[in-house]
Amino acid sequence: MKSPFIPSIVQAVGLACVPVDDMPPNSSLARKPVAAAIVTVAERGDGHRDAVIKSLSDARDMEWPLPVLIDDALIAGAPTIIADSDRDVLTVEAASRRFFAEPTLGALATGQGVIDPAAMLGERHDEAALCRRIGIPANLVPDTDVGRWWNRNAPVAVEDVALTAAVSRLVLWAHFTSFRSAEPDAFFETLLPLRERLMELEADHPALKPFLASRPFHRAASFASFYREYRVKRDGGDTEARWVTFEDGQSYV
């Protein structure tokens, strides 16, 4: 069954920024992105989903500038999960270039298909606090720390800052989408393939280990078999199949 509660493709963006001198403090002008990560969960032809992770950075002087790399990595038209603050920074950085050849970023700047997960429940919440409240690791590193860590010859540490931001936003989106639809699809169809991908990367990216040890990923793994049974019934045409309520699932927790 093709779930009506989750798009076939969804992507999340995280940035790592360094401070910019002589600009208004605490504004998008005072931040320059040096690394980005894009985490995409896409449905295959057989109905299963794969998670793809792309890490990008201004690692070498002769490399294409970061906005161009991000524009190439984004899937045009797909829902994009990004914090409004990061979207503003990316818009300023892209507009400062002289080529104006980033159509996907242009659409992102105007808010087309953009989702700020911290505002999905109405009020705009502090992203880090919201993640902590739900039990999602939020490694939102200050720009001053990123500035100390940034090294063009060793960009992995800063790329991981962007990657953890993208992962936490995608998990937030999955939580709230499932909650609002009262269906488990978004939670499991996002966290299960994402968990598999993070397990492949954790040896080389220690910053990802807290995600795999967090409550959301443990819940996804623990209830995966129950979710698959539910999906088999729904895929078989059982319109009365019902996902377990909290009371039904208490004995499994």
Side-chain angles (χ1 to χ4, degrees):
M1 180 186 72
K2 183 177 177 61
S3 173
F5 306 107
I6 177 173
S8 58
I9 299 175
V10 65
Q11 55 195 353
V13 179
L15 295 181
C17 302
V18 297
V20 178
D21 297 330
D22 302 324
M23 287 292 165
N26 302 318
S27 71
S28 58
L29 300 178
R31 309 180 68 210
K32 176 180 173 57
V34 293
I38 299 171
V39 181
T40 305
V41 176
E43 185 178 35
R44 302 196 310 247
D46 60 3
H48 294 284
R49 295 175 190 268
D50 291 322
V52 177
I53 292 176
K54 297 179 181 178
S55 294
L56 317 164
S57 66
D58 284 331
R60 293 175 295 278
D61 290 333
M62 296 302 293
E63 190 171 328
W64 289 99
L66 189 60
V68 176
L69 299 177
I70 295 174
D71 188 79
D72 290 341
L74 288 172
I75 299 174
T80 304
I81 302 162
I82 184 172
D84 285 341
S85 57
D86 277 4
R87 181 164 64 98
D88 292 342
V89 169
L90 196 53
T91 298
V92 170
E93 182 70 7
S96 69
R97 304 295 177 179
R98 294 185 291 274
F99 299 104
F100 304 102
E102 295 89 38
T104 307
L105 284 185
L108 192 73
T110 61
Q112 297 180 32
V114 171
I115 304 169
D116 183 345
M120 286 183 68
L121 298 184
E123 180 183 353
R124 178 62 168 84
H125 297 279
D126 175 82
E127 186 177 358
L130 185 59
C131 286
R132 288 197 303 270
R133 180 67 176 83
I134 296 176
I136 302 170
N139 185 29
L140 301 181
V141 177
D143 293 349
T144 52
D145 289 346
V146 174
R148 289 197 298 268
W149 299 347
W150 173 237
N151 183 340
R152 290 181 183 276
N153 298 317
V156 175
V158 172
E159 289 177 355
D160 280 356
V161 171
L163 177 56
T164 54
V167 171
S168 64
R169 287 167 184 163
L170 184 59
V171 176
L172 270 181
W173 172 85
H175 270 77
F176 295 154
T177 300
S178 284
F179 173 72
R180 295 199 303 185
S181 66
E183 293 286 346
D185 302 48
F187 180 81
F188 287 96
E189 297 290 350
T190 300
L191 267 69
L192 290 178
L194 181 59
R195 179 174 179 269
E196 291 182 5
R197 187 70 181 118
L198 296 185
M199 289 176 67
E200 295 173 358
L201 297 175
E202 67 169 325
D204 296 324
H205 300 269
L208 298 176
K209 293 181 183 293
F211 287 102
L212 295 170
S214 66
R215 286 191 307 166
F217 281 89
H218 277 306
R219 286 199 298 268
S222 297
F223 285 88
S225 60
F226 297 100
Y227 172 70
R228 293 190 181 103
E229 290 175 7
Y230 165 81
R231 284 299 304 270
V232 167
K233 293 178 181 177
R234 293 291 295 270
D235 292 346
D238 185 355
T239 58
E240 296 183 358
R242 183 176 61 90
W243 176 244
V244 294
T245 64
F246 175 77
E247 291 79 9
D248 295 330
Q250 282 187 107
S251 59
Y252 306 119
V253 176

